[in-house]
Amino acid sequence: MRWRQIGPFRGGRALAIEGVVGEPDTYYFGAVAGGVWKTTDGGANWIPLFDKQPISSIGGIAVAPSDHNVIYAGTGEAAIRGNTTYGTGVFKSIDAGKTWENIDLKDTRQIGALIVDPRNENVVLVAALGHAFGPNQERGIFRTSDGGKTWTKVLSKDENTGGIDIVFDPHNPNIVFASLWQARRQPWFFSSGGPGSGLYRSEDNGVTWKRLEGNGLPGGILGRIGIAVSGADSNRVYAIIEAKDGGLYRSDDAGQHWTRVNDDGRFRQRAWYFSKVYADPKSADTVYLLNTGLFKSVDGGKTFNLLAARHGDHHGLWIDPTNPNRIANVSDGGASISSDGGKNWTTQNNQPTAQFYHIAVDNAFPYHIYGAQQDNSNVGIASRSDSGVIGRENWFVAGGGECGFVVPDPRDWHIIYSNNEGYINRYDKNKEQVQDVSPVPLDNSGHGAVDLAHRFQWVTPLMLSPHNPDVLYTAGECVFKSTDHGQSWTQISGDLTRNDKSKQQPSGGPLTNDITSVEYYDTVFALAESQVKQGTLWAGTDDGLVQVTTDDGQHWSNVTPKMPEWSTVDLIEPSPHDGNTAYVAVDRHKLDDFKPYIFKTTDLGKNWSSIVHGIPDGAYVHAVREDPKRKGLLYAGTELGVFVSFDDGAHWQPLQLNLPVTPIHDLVVKDDDLVVATHGRSFWVLDDLTPVRQVNAQTAAADVILYQPQTALRLHYPEEFDKRQPVGDNPPPGALIDYYFKTAPKEEVSLEILDASGKVVRRLSSKEKKEGEQPPEWPDRVERVKTIPADEGMNRFAWDLRYDDPIQIPGAFYSGTGPKGPLVLPGNYQVKLTVGGKSQTAPLHLVIDPRTKGQEAALQKQFNLATQVNDRISQLHQAVNEIRDLKSQIQTLHKRFGDDQRLKPALAAADDVDHKMSEVEQKLIQVNMKGSEANLAFPNMLNERFDTFSHLIDYGDGEPTKPQLDVFQTLSSQLDEQLKKWAQLKNEDLPKVSEMIKQANLPALIITEKKTGS
């Protein structure tokens, strides 16, 4: 079993990027929850380097100038917005990112920047912000001189202040500038600035520090500060400072004196989120500022022009110190590269680093996956495609919105509801019309929650009733209901929160208000209706309450489990099996509590039990779901991946497999698939949960297990597709067959598919068969897998739904993939697994493509023709193989006995037969076909025509046409004519020659026995 990456390939937020000097096509970037990525082709393709690491958030990255194989990554982003995740210190690679080692500072959690001494790759300075949500000691500026074996805290202030930026003087690494930042985020507020913030300078490579103040720098409380030293002039230093009199400051004497050169509000807004400045390495007056846009000044910061950089909300820039036209940028949309000074940029649509909040699926085929991507739009994306990959053409914007929920109507997926804070859209995809259907369509930006009539937060709940999709629910501090698709709304509850006014005040801190609904508190955060009992609604609040109603909101009861105060109820899952059972995922990480919390009730909240055994600290829980087909089988989405419980939460274990560690904000079971919304690596799917559902105590002790397969779909699969592009993966092509070996078998393992009558349809083996197959020419062609795996543990094989192939001609060339067995009909089959003389069987049910229901009779006719064609191809191939084998025997006779004059008559007779056989052979197959397009020079003969015809009649699910039937008769007649000639040769000419050869005491000519296909 493997997780399958869906996409979309559309970049998510990133803060860190570096190129490699002297390697113009090599760059690294770090995503805020998607790990480290590398390109060696100038941004055309990005490869993940961090998938095997235990954490995914990257705050800073640095390539050692003295050894480009040495890379340091500081984990945990320091743009500490509401959805930020954490890190576990500094990681180091000494092989250009192939492998990594954690080198400590594990409790820093958020790292703003790190730099490597250009003279010595073992000297590193780290600006560690520390815990975003609470005080801690491991924060400030840290230094190592031994490559991370030991660290020294060289600059710090207090438990509430950490490092945010640090830079060398490019000409003298002994001169270092750093900034400290006092900041704190909690569920109901964010604060940037305080007495701990400040700007510092070191003259001994960061060992000791002096605070810079006065001399033109702003007084009073400071907030976030970004710093840059010009590579053109070490005396030129720039600082973007959050302060009452903040803005861009410049020093022309290496930091001794300062002047504010720009106080433009475009560069000061949301200072906590941006405040990044970069100096050009060749021009002292050229400087870049990052904010909503990427801005460039050529007059020392007095005026700026906007560059046409990708996306918006920019966080990181790298400028090649030897070539200022070579620039790399990261923003809320990912990474992009410019080689012409910012005029043109590479795409960000090749990075699957999207951060999704919640997830939904529809009832289309193939089904779509929906979610809202942070810093972008929402998305609906197909879970598979007929083309073989999931590309840009397979996803669409589903009504807009970067946060919240996307909810398709289960009756018609073209009607999609989505929300963004308190706004709700109804999108009709058929008409491409979006309508606002919000209960309170009022823009409250900049207002504290205390001032509002209704408090709608960033990820406001939205759902359709599972009993009546005409009913729509949403919630602020109370629950709203619409029965007319959002045209009107009714409030069906009072305030269900604790309504603590002290936690509803304006946010931002002492310097800059920054009020989004992220900090709106005392709201309903989770809302769900029981699938079993209509009108039973559950509401969970971000201030730690759980409420339930059994009469659609007429009466509510506070049924909060015993848990720490002010917890966020992230998600409630009413059991799909029992109307009294529910599961609650509780998140306290914004209170600096990273423990997992899940609670379960079986009596509508009267009693609760904690069910988190096996989920480690740090894996705080965002979502829990119960499998709709197996009661008590639970899945949890946590900050560190996916977990599964087979015993209703009593014990948990990872279900990570090949899924990169990244936050899982939501998950859902769709039919037999587990679909997850990662918050850093886009959408992923675990195909076919049927083996998971069959796990029990008995199977755990077995030596060999053949799991009952899921109901399979009879689909057509493409023979080639291009995966050398940013695309998601299709499911494995065919019926999935899962089996388990306690130890890897030493003997052959066979897998047989039998039809309803017990006849073998396909036989497969673990022993690889070399069949003299056509050499490859086309890199996008799909290589058919004919050898089954037989490894220790779980094995999965996708049977391609075909009968055994016809007899093959070794070394034959075809313009396409060559002949293969007919596609089986829908119906009931048996899977038989044999190892060590013992067999297990399991039923396999195959159903028609849901898009072609009603075509069963046509399929039967199509199958009948395909079977006849398959048989005819086998007859043709058998004849060619017999002829070629006899020709080879005759050639051997010549080689061994050609000089013996007594044998000349027998050999001459054999040559005569050889000539006659060649005439038949050349009608059966194009003997000069030595490449896939050789038939353009050497015309198709019967073999090539039958092959092409076999593929033509296999397209789609439909009754054969009259021309197809006519062509089959024509080809069959032509084949019969040649087979008749061959039979005559075998029955008349060959025995005469064989007798002459026998009389000459030569080895007899033997016709090989018929070979079966595979």
Side-chain angles (χ1 to χ4, degrees):
M1 299 179 70
R2 289 180 59 83
W3 289 92
R4 175 167 60 92
Q5 182 174 238
I6 301 296
F9 279 69
R10 182 170 71 169
R13 197 157 50 88
L15 305 185
I17 192 164
E18 280 234 353
V20 180
V21 176
E23 299 179 31
D25 291 327
T26 302
Y27 298 83
Y28 300 86
F29 86 87
V32 298
V36 177
W37 297 73
K38 180 180 183 179
T39 179
T40 55
D41 55 16
N45 297 278
W46 292 93
I47 305 300
L49 302 180
F50 226 62
D51 284 0
K52 296 181 180 179
Q53 303 313 310
I55 208 74
S56 63
S57 180
I58 307 299
I61 193 164
V63 179
S66 59
D67 183 349
H68 295 168
N69 288 312
V70 176
I71 307 166
Y72 293 90
T75 62
E77 63 156 319
I80 49 174
R81 53 177 302 133
N83 64 327
T84 192
T85 185
Y86 70 99
T88 54
V90 178
F91 285 72
K92 179 182 179 181
S93 172
I94 58 173
D95 52 14
K98 295 177 183 177
T99 60
W100 297 85
E101 178 189 4
N102 185 299
I103 55 172
D104 214 357
L105 301 184
K106 295 180 180 179
D107 197 41
T108 55
R109 287 204 183 156
Q110 323 294 150
I111 289 178
L114 75 169
I115 53 177
V116 184
D117 191 314
R119 303 164 300 188
N120 183 349
E121 65 272 14
N122 290 315
V123 176
V124 184
L125 288 159
V126 175
L129 182 61
H131 290 202
F133 307 105
N136 78 306
Q137 294 300 320
E138 197 167 60
R139 54 168 74 210
I141 306 299
F142 293 84
R143 184 179 186 274
T144 180
S145 57
D146 55 13
K149 295 177 183 177
T150 59
W151 293 90
T152 303
K153 185 192 289 189
V154 292
L155 175 63
S156 64
K157 187 70 173 179
D158 54 42
E159 63 183 4
N160 299 309
T161 303
I164 189 60
D165 203 6
I166 188 162
V167 294
F168 286 122
D169 175 344
H171 294 289
N172 180 7
N174 287 327
I175 304 299
V176 193
F177 291 85
S179 56
L180 299 184
W181 183 32
Q182 181 174 330
R184 178 67 47 77
R185 179 173 288 282
Q186 294 214 281
W188 52 86
F189 82 100
F190 173 75
S191 178
S192 173
S197 300
L199 180 60
Y200 293 81
R201 184 176 187 269
S202 171
E203 297 181 355
D204 54 10
N205 198 234
V207 177
T208 61
W209 295 85
K210 177 184 177 182
R211 181 178 173 120
L212 302 180
E213 49 192 339
N215 297 308
L217 288 171
I221 292 175
L222 302 180
R224 180 167 177 168
I225 302 171
I227 325 150
V229 182
S230 172
D233 180 357
S234 294
N235 289 313
R236 178 64 61 86
V237 186
Y238 294 95
I240 179 74
I241 302 175
E242 181 186 13
K244 180 180 179 182
D245 297 318
L248 179 64
Y249 283 74
R250 189 179 84 196
S251 172
D252 294 317
D253 55 8
Q256 301 303 313
H257 301 86
W258 297 82
T259 303
R260 183 166 71 170
V261 293
N262 199 304
D263 64 352
D264 191 325
R266 293 175 299 164
F267 314 139
R268 299 177 62 189
Q269 63 187 342
R270 307 204 80 191
W272 69 271
Y273 195 43
F274 301 114
S275 296
K276 298 291 287 186
V277 60
Y278 296 85
D280 186 275
K282 299 295 185 182
S283 169
D285 285 334
T286 299
V287 62
Y288 297 83
L289 279 175
L290 277 58
N291 203 281
T292 54
L294 173 55
F295 299 92
K296 179 180 180 180
S297 171
V298 294
D299 59 6
K302 297 175 183 177
T303 61
F304 282 84
N305 291 317
L306 177 65
L307 297 183
R310 298 282 185 189
H311 202 75
D313 286 7
H314 298 273
H315 300 287
L317 196 69
W318 178 83
I319 309 169
D320 188 332
T322 65
N323 176 13
N325 283 323
R326 185 180 170 217
I327 305 173
N329 171 237
V330 282
S331 67
D332 280 1
S336 55
I337 294 162
S338 174
S339 58
D340 58 9
K343 296 175 183 176
N344 298 282
W345 298 86
T346 59
T347 184
Q348 294 173 329
N349 290 334
N350 55 6
Q351 303 152 37
T353 52
Q355 294 180 284
F356 286 101
Y357 284 99
H358 285 283
I359 197 164
V361 291
D362 60 24
N363 291 325
F365 181 82
Y367 66 86
H368 299 91
I369 304 167
Y370 299 89
Q373 180 184 345
Q374 175 63 47
D375 302 307
N376 221 305
S377 71
N378 62 19
V379 165
I381 185 169
S383 57
R384 69 189 304 155
S385 80
D386 291 318
S387 66
V389 292
I390 304 168
R392 177 62 186 88
E393 67 276 13
N394 302 117
W395 62 268
F396 59 93
V397 177
E402 66 172 307
C403 53
F405 292 75
V406 188
V407 187
D409 190 316
R411 303 162 299 187
D412 178 5
W413 69 270
H414 298 90
I415 303 299
I416 303 166
Y417 297 89
S418 63
N419 64 339
N420 195 72
E421 303 175 88
Y423 296 105
I424 300 175
N425 286 336
R426 184 179 187 271
Y427 171 51
D428 187 330
K429 182 164 174 49
N430 283 327
K431 299 177 181 178
E432 290 296 340
Q433 291 285 316
V434 177
Q435 179 188 4
D436 173 76
V437 293
S438 309
V440 186
L442 183 64
D443 187 351
N444 292 315
S445 298
H447 290 270
V450 71
D451 298 330
L452 307 181
H454 294 292
R455 301 184 294 275
F456 295 100
Q457 44 88 10
W458 189 249
V459 196
T460 294
L462 179 69
M463 69 175 187
L464 292 173
S465 170
H467 304 280
N468 180 4
D470 289 324
V471 175
L472 189 64
Y473 294 96
T474 189
E477 80 293 342
C478 60
V479 179
F480 295 87
K481 175 182 178 181
S482 174
T483 57
D484 54 10
H485 313 117
Q487 291 296 119
S488 63
W489 293 87
T490 302
Q491 182 175 330
I492 62 168
S493 80
D495 190 330
L496 297 178
T497 76
R498 299 174 74 166
N499 194 19
D500 184 333
K501 297 301 181 185
S502 69
K503 293 180 173 57
Q504 298 172 23
Q505 300 304 308
S507 182
L511 294 169
T512 313
N513 274 355
D514 193 84
I515 304 169
T516 66
S517 61
V518 170
E519 294 83 23
Y520 286 176
Y521 198 63
D522 298 318
T523 69
V524 174
F525 203 86
L527 187 65
E529 182 178 12
S530 168
Q531 298 179 45
V532 179
K533 290 185 177 181
Q534 185 172 359
T536 295
L537 302 176
W538 295 84
T541 72
D542 57 7
D543 56 10
L545 300 181
V546 176
Q547 312 265 7
V548 68
T549 175
T550 57
D551 52 15
D552 202 26
Q554 295 183 46
H555 304 87
W556 291 84
S557 300
N558 183 338
V559 293
T560 304
K562 186 178 181 181
M563 60 184 177
E565 278 196 318
W566 310 112
S567 302
T568 295
V569 178
D570 215 327
L571 188 141
I572 301 177
E573 167 78 345
S575 170
H577 302 281
D578 177 18
N580 293 326
T581 297
Y583 304 87
V584 175
V586 173
D587 176 9
R588 290 179 47 80
H589 82 275
K590 290 184 182 179
L591 296 167
D592 215 31
D593 178 356
F594 282 20
K595 295 185 180 69
Y597 295 91
I598 304 174
F599 298 93
K600 170 192 168 185
T601 181
T602 58
D603 54 12
L604 281 175
K606 294 176 183 175
N607 296 281
W608 295 89
S609 56
S610 173
I611 51 168
V612 292
H613 181 72
I615 302 178
D617 287 357
Y620 46 88
V621 183
H622 296 287
V624 59
R625 302 289 187 187
E626 184 176 22
D627 192 287
K629 293 185 178 180
R630 174 175 164 178
K631 183 177 173 61
L633 176 58
L634 305 182
Y635 310 98
T638 79
E639 196 69 3
L640 299 181
V642 180
F643 289 77
V644 62
S645 172
F646 297 97
D647 52 12
D648 211 16
H651 304 85
W652 293 88
Q653 64 189 65
L655 190 59
Q656 201 66 14
L657 304 172
N658 62 308
L659 181 66
V661 170
T662 187
I664 307 296
H665 275 219
D666 201 358
L667 35 73
V668 65
V669 178
K670 169 62 178 176
D671 300 328
D672 295 330
D673 297 343
L674 181 59
V675 190
V676 300
T678 79
H679 207 66
R681 289 298 299 272
S682 298
F683 292 127
W684 291 67
V685 171
L686 183 60
D687 295 296
D688 188 8
L689 290 167
T690 52
V692 177
R693 290 171 174 151
Q694 295 171 56
V695 170
N696 54 42
Q698 288 72 34
T699 59
D703 293 329
V704 180
I705 305 168
L706 173 63
Y707 295 96
Q708 181 172 330
Q710 70 176 154
T711 297
L713 288 169
R714 185 185 184 274
L715 301 174
H716 297 264
Y717 297 99
E719 295 179 342
E720 61 181 58
F721 50 80
D722 183 4
K723 284 204 68 177
R724 296 164 297 164
Q725 55 177 324
V727 290
D729 299 325
N730 254 14
L736 300 186
I737 300 170
D738 293 283
Y739 46 97
Y740 166 86
F741 299 120
K742 192 171 186 178
T743 58
K746 296 180 180 178
E747 58 271 84
E748 179 183 14
V749 179
S750 68
L751 190 66
E752 293 176 306
I753 313 297
L754 296 82
D755 64 17
S757 66
K759 180 182 177 182
V760 175
V761 168
R762 186 75 176 272
R763 187 184 189 280
L764 297 145
S765 169
S766 62
K767 301 297 183 184
E768 186 175 2
K769 295 180 181 178
K770 299 293 185 180
E771 299 178 339
E773 296 180 352
Q774 182 171 335
E777 291 183 60
W778 305 96
D780 297 332
R781 185 152 293 167
V782 178
E783 182 177 351
R784 294 177 66 203
V785 180
K786 298 181 180 180
T787 305
I788 65 171
D791 301 319
E792 179 180 325
M794 286 291 296
N795 293 266
R796 170 167 283 182
F797 180 77
W799 168 46
D800 63 5
L801 308 179
R802 292 191 176 275
Y803 276 72
D804 280 331
D805 291 344
I807 294 170
Q808 300 294 316
I809 300 174
F813 277 81
Y814 298 94
S815 58
T817 55
K820 49 191 173 184
L823 201 60
V824 299
L825 288 170
N828 293 315
Y829 296 84
Q830 290 283 325
V831 178
K832 183 179 180 181
L833 180 73
T834 302
V835 58
K838 296 181 180 179
S839 298
Q840 296 184 24
T841 61
L844 170 62
H845 185 55
L846 179 67
V847 297
I848 194 170
D849 185 332
R851 298 167 294 188
T852 59
K853 283 184 178 179
Q855 293 291 309
E856 286 80 2
L859 284 187
Q860 182 66 59
K861 294 179 181 179
Q862 183 186 46
F863 173 76
N864 292 342
L865 178 58
T867 302
Q868 293 176 69
V869 170
N870 192 64
D871 291 342
R872 301 257 62 190
I873 291 175
S874 279
Q875 293 167 17
L876 188 158
H877 288 184
Q878 178 64 22
V880 172
N881 289 338
E882 290 174 356
I883 289 170
R884 291 184 170 179
D885 191 36
L886 283 169
K887 287 165 69 73
S888 176
Q889 294 178 51
I890 291 171
Q891 289 175 6
T892 300
L893 289 175
H894 273 286
K895 289 178 181 178
R896 295 178 62 186
F897 309 107
D899 294 334
D900 192 331
Q901 294 297 319
R902 297 171 302 165
L903 304 179
K904 289 291 185 183
L907 292 176
D911 287 343
D912 183 59
V913 171
D914 188 295
H915 177 73
K916 292 178 180 179
M917 288 193 299
S918 292
E919 290 180 344
V920 174
E921 179 191 18
Q922 290 168 20
K923 293 291 185 180
L924 291 175
I925 185 171
Q926 177 49 261
V927 295
N928 295 307
M929 187 83 169
K930 302 301 180 184
S932 65
E933 294 186 354
N935 59 346
L936 302 180
F938 306 102
N940 285 339
M941 304 310 286
L942 277 171
N943 183 52
E944 294 74 40
R945 284 180 161 174
F946 260 112
D947 171 57
T948 302
F949 184 71
S950 73
H951 290 278
L952 284 175
I953 64 173
D954 194 53
Y955 295 152
D957 294 337
E959 182 177 342
T961 66
K962 185 178 184 301
Q964 288 176 340
L965 296 173
D966 292 343
V967 165
F968 175 64
Q969 291 303 322
T970 300
L971 292 175
S972 288
S973 297
Q974 294 172 356
L975 176 60
D976 286 337
E977 181 182 349
Q978 299 305 317
L979 293 180
K980 183 178 180 181
K981 292 180 180 179
W982 172 231
Q984 186 175 348
L985 281 170
K986 286 195 295 183
N987 296 329
E988 298 178 10
D989 295 45
L990 195 59
K992 296 176 183 177
V993 174
S994 294
E995 182 61 28
M996 292 179 68
I997 291 174
K998 182 179 179 182
Q999 291 177 0
N1001 293 319
L1002 297 180
L1005 297 179
I1006 302 172
I1007 296 177
T1008 56
E1009 295 181 3
K1010 182 177 180 181
K1011 297 179 180 179
T1012 59
S1014 62

